[in-house]
Amino acid sequence: MSNHLFDIIADTSHPATHNVVRFPDGSAWTRAQLLERTARYANVLHSLGVKPGDRICLQIEKSVETMALTLGAVRAGAVFVPLNTAYTTAEISYFIGDAEPRLLVCDPSRREALSQAADKAGVTHVETLGADGLGSLASLADAASPDFAPVARGADDIAAILYTSGTTGRSKGAMLSHDNLASNALTLKDYWQFTPQDVLLHALPIYHTHGLFVAINTVLVSGASMIFLSKFDPDQILRLMPQATCMMGVPTFYTRLLQHEGLTRDATKHMRLFVSGSAPLLAETHREWSARTGHAILERYGMTETNMNTSNPYEGDRVAGTVGFPLPGITVRVVDPDTGKHFGVDEIGMLEVKGPNVFKGYWRMPEKTASEFRADGFFITGDLGKIDARGYVHIVGRGKDLIISGGFNVYPKEVETEIDSMDGVIESAVIGVPHPDFGEGVVAVVVVTKTAKLDDKQIIAHLADRLAKFKQPKFVFIVDDLPRNTMGKVQKNLLRDQHKDLFKA
Ligand code: AMP
């Protein structure tokens, strides 16, 4: 039997001498070097007693060694569990208690603190790997054999567990199978027309599905290459852009590049594709980007549990404010969240997804898993949206962000779109906070340009004849920035918390 995912990633029809990982200083690793390094890490894992199906938890900075280790884990038949580098020791204690890994890999600076947590959780091995690619695990890999026969793994075996960000309740481990990852990488390669000539600017973190699977796996299965950057830096991105053909980013990459005077038609003329996802891209950003560069950003929609579900077309209209069509082999439907009744064109409801991309369930949470799937196998995404007459999927927000005021549904996106259309407004977030009469009261938090002379009253007045009374914000706050996580998602839970006592007597 083969190793389902690794065999596809390591596709030997691509030349071994191709520079697959390029660094900003001009140096590179060939496919042969990368694959050899995965064999060394697989040997190390094997020698530490990691058996097929065993978990290994990684809390390490982005580097090519980290990438080689994750691929080495797949090669060794292990299940790798990448953890956000911002997590505290207390948070890591929860994750290793839950995942029960054979091995924890951390930054050398955290070894002492995390070893105690590992001891408590019964984790027998703690090794280190730093941002510079050095550490005890890298030393073991240096000394290990460069040959390793991939451990047999089937399509349904688990390759990785990614913990969801868990803004409500406990963080859940999404189990992703070899075929969840392989099928999605092959689909994206075809849909976005990746070829061995492509060079991807890779500036995303690699503990999250976007940088880890969408970016790395798509590049590797295509025989393409990536310029591997430790973080997003607009100056560096623009300097390297002439060497690249495509970029994948979260919306904040695009808004920050738009603030840079170096972003011009000329600077982007070598590029064929800009992809955005992980959070909504403002229609305004899409339009500004087209005007400045001549490129229409391709927006797609996915989540940790499902990989990528929909994408705007490579050829054809990339419609701003939509996330495009269901990808081939994937079905998306809109249903009434309470009754499960199927909705028609333009009706807003819960988005549900089915396909080879959809995960195998939450780690050790069978009841939670069962409650998030319908009897016919569709996964309930938690996102509210609609499908228009042309088949484009629109997302109107997370189900949990839906506001119910006086018994009426208020979709935050609808109110945000009206506010964002005002001159001088950069962006807004509309939330519901506890209200003694209405259950929830609508509140808007708005970012305006430095030169705008807008105040809360003008914004409320602007909405007066545009939105029904129950949708109009009772309070508007002007702020400098909206709170965002590293993937660019607005953290509405923080805003709700900040304003939770607003309507209290
Ligand atoms: P994560 O699991 O961290 O990737 O988050 C997944 C969630 O991000 C989805 O359920 C959506 O709410 C949101 N998301 C991802 N891509 C988009 C997009 N293009 N537009 C709007 N929301 C998105």
Side-chain angles (χ1 to χ4, degrees):
M1 193 164 115
S2 59
N3 182 307
H4 188 76
L5 176 61
F6 191 77
D7 291 353
I8 290 168
I9 281 178
D11 186 344
T12 46
S13 67
H14 299 305
T17 51
H18 188 59
N19 282 336
V20 64
V21 191
R22 306 173 189 206
F23 304 102
D25 66 1
S27 62
W29 277 19
T30 61
R31 270 183 89 87
Q33 273 174 294
L34 177 65
L35 293 177
E36 183 197 299
R37 201 68 187 159
T38 67
R40 289 177 186 271
Y41 278 116
N43 272 312
V44 173
L45 298 181
H46 187 68
S47 69
L48 294 175
V50 174
K51 307 243 166 358
D54 278 354
R55 276 78 53 213
I56 66 164
C57 286
L58 321 173
Q59 193 197 24
I60 43 183
E61 295 296 338
K62 179 179 180 180
S63 80
V64 66
E65 292 288 335
T66 306
M67 187 195 329
L69 171 58
T70 58
L71 297 170
V74 174
R75 188 168 183 161
V79 176
F80 74 95
V81 187
L83 298 168
N84 191 320
T85 44
Y87 286 148
T88 61
T89 304
E91 286 165 320
I92 296 294
S93 300
Y94 163 72
F95 291 117
I96 59 180
D98 190 53
E100 294 187 10
R102 167 88 40 190
L103 165 70
L104 168 67
V105 188
C106 64
D107 192 81
S109 64
R110 304 203 64 193
R111 182 177 200 144
E112 212 177 296
L114 290 181
S115 290
Q116 285 174 16
D119 259 0
K120 275 205 201 115
V123 179
T124 44
H125 297 284
V126 178
E127 301 292 346
T128 64
L129 190 55
D132 54 6
L134 302 176
S136 63
L137 198 77
S139 303
L140 290 171
D142 292 342
S145 160
D147 300 312
F148 185 91
V151 169
R153 293 267 90 184
D156 287 336
D157 284 322
I158 304 304
I161 296 177
L162 264 60
Y163 280 92
T164 57
S165 43
T167 45
T168 49
R170 232 177 99 190
S171 188
K172 306 178 289 285
M175 297 188 287
L176 295 157
S177 72
H178 276 240
D179 198 52
N180 291 154
L181 303 178
S183 66
N184 215 233
L186 294 172
T187 299
L188 295 178
K189 161 186 168 265
D190 290 343
Y191 208 75
W192 295 341
Q193 302 195 8
F194 268 76
T195 71
Q197 281 70 49
D198 272 312
V199 182
L200 176 83
L201 276 167
H202 192 309
L204 291 159
I206 58 169
Y207 49 72
H208 184 270
T209 184
H210 195 170
L212 190 54
F213 301 134
V214 186
I216 294 179
N217 288 357
T218 305
V219 164
L220 293 179
V221 301
S222 320
S225 61
M226 57 198 127
I227 304 178
F228 211 60
L229 306 170
S230 56
K231 60 178 187 356
F232 174 76
D233 168 6
D235 288 330
Q236 189 181 44
I237 292 276
L238 284 165
R239 186 168 61 75
L240 295 168
M241 208 168 265
Q243 299 170 34
T245 63
C246 37
M247 184 176 88
M248 293 182 191
V250 293
T252 25
F253 282 21
Y254 295 98
T255 50
R256 287 186 57 198
L257 283 166
L258 278 166
Q259 288 161 17
H260 198 296
E261 59 185 19
L263 183 79
T264 59
R265 253 167 213 261
D266 204 44
T268 57
K269 70 170 189 285
H270 192 240
M271 299 288 279
R272 70 166 184 91
L273 180 63
F274 290 98
V275 178
S276 176
S278 294
L281 181 79
L282 292 176
E284 184 56 23
T285 310
H286 193 283
R287 282 191 284 271
E288 267 187 59
W289 191 270
S290 293
R292 276 275 281 283
T293 68
H295 292 277
I297 298 173
L298 182 154
E299 185 170 9
R300 93 307 178 269
Y301 156 62
M303 58 197 301
T304 301
E305 289 94 329
T306 62
N307 299 283
M308 298 306 104
N309 296 313
T310 72
S311 170
N312 268 279
Y314 186 75
E315 274 152 10
D317 273 356
R318 299 181 191 164
V319 180
T322 82
V323 293
F325 305 115
L327 287 161
I330 296 171
T331 312
V332 177
R333 70 184 183 193
V334 184
V335 306
D336 180 325
D338 299 323
T339 62
K341 175 180 165 272
H342 295 196
F343 279 152
V345 167
D346 279 339
E347 286 184 291
I348 294 176
M350 177 63 69
L351 294 176
E352 297 186 348
V353 187
K354 189 174 177 180
N357 55 316
V358 177
F359 75 136
K360 297 289 166 196
Y362 294 112
W363 169 252
R364 290 186 177 162
M365 290 177 127
E367 281 162 21
K368 182 76 194 159
T369 303
S371 70
E372 308 233 341
F373 279 89
R374 299 270 179 202
D376 58 1
F378 275 78
F379 173 62
I380 306 167
T381 62
D383 288 315
L384 296 172
K386 64 174 189 179
I387 303 181
D388 68 20
R390 293 171 69 196
Y392 285 84
V393 177
H394 300 238
I395 297 180
V396 301
R398 292 292 294 164
K400 64 179 192 306
D401 293 333
L402 175 71
I403 304 166
I404 304 181
S405 191
F408 293 110
N409 284 0
V410 181
Y411 296 103
K413 175 89 180 282
E414 187 187 355
V415 186
E416 289 160 5
T417 306
E418 287 297 346
I419 298 176
D420 295 350
S421 70
M422 289 182 78
D423 276 349
V425 170
I426 298 177
E427 59 174 346
S428 59
V430 168
I431 53 169
V433 300
H435 188 289
D437 294 332
F438 302 126
E440 284 183 297
V442 181
V443 173
V445 183
V446 182
V447 183
V448 299
T449 59
K450 285 201 184 68
T451 51
K453 294 203 173 48
L454 275 179
D455 63 18
D456 53 339
K457 292 189 190 58
Q458 286 165 290
I459 295 175
I460 291 175
H462 170 84
L463 299 175
D465 56 359
R466 289 183 164 78
L467 292 173
K469 187 93 183 127
F470 70 92
K471 298 180 189 170
Q472 294 172 20
K474 309 230 169 329
F475 285 94
V476 171
F477 295 97
I478 310 274
V479 297
D480 291 339
D481 287 304
L482 296 177
R484 287 199 144 80
N485 71 9
T486 44
M487 298 311 292
K489 289 189 218 297
V490 176
Q491 294 170 299
K492 288 195 168 176
N493 54 323
L494 299 185
L495 293 175
R496 278 192 288 262
D497 203 44
Q498 192 183 343
H499 297 294
K500 66 180 187 309
D501 297 329
L502 204 56
F503 295 107
K504 280 205 178 137

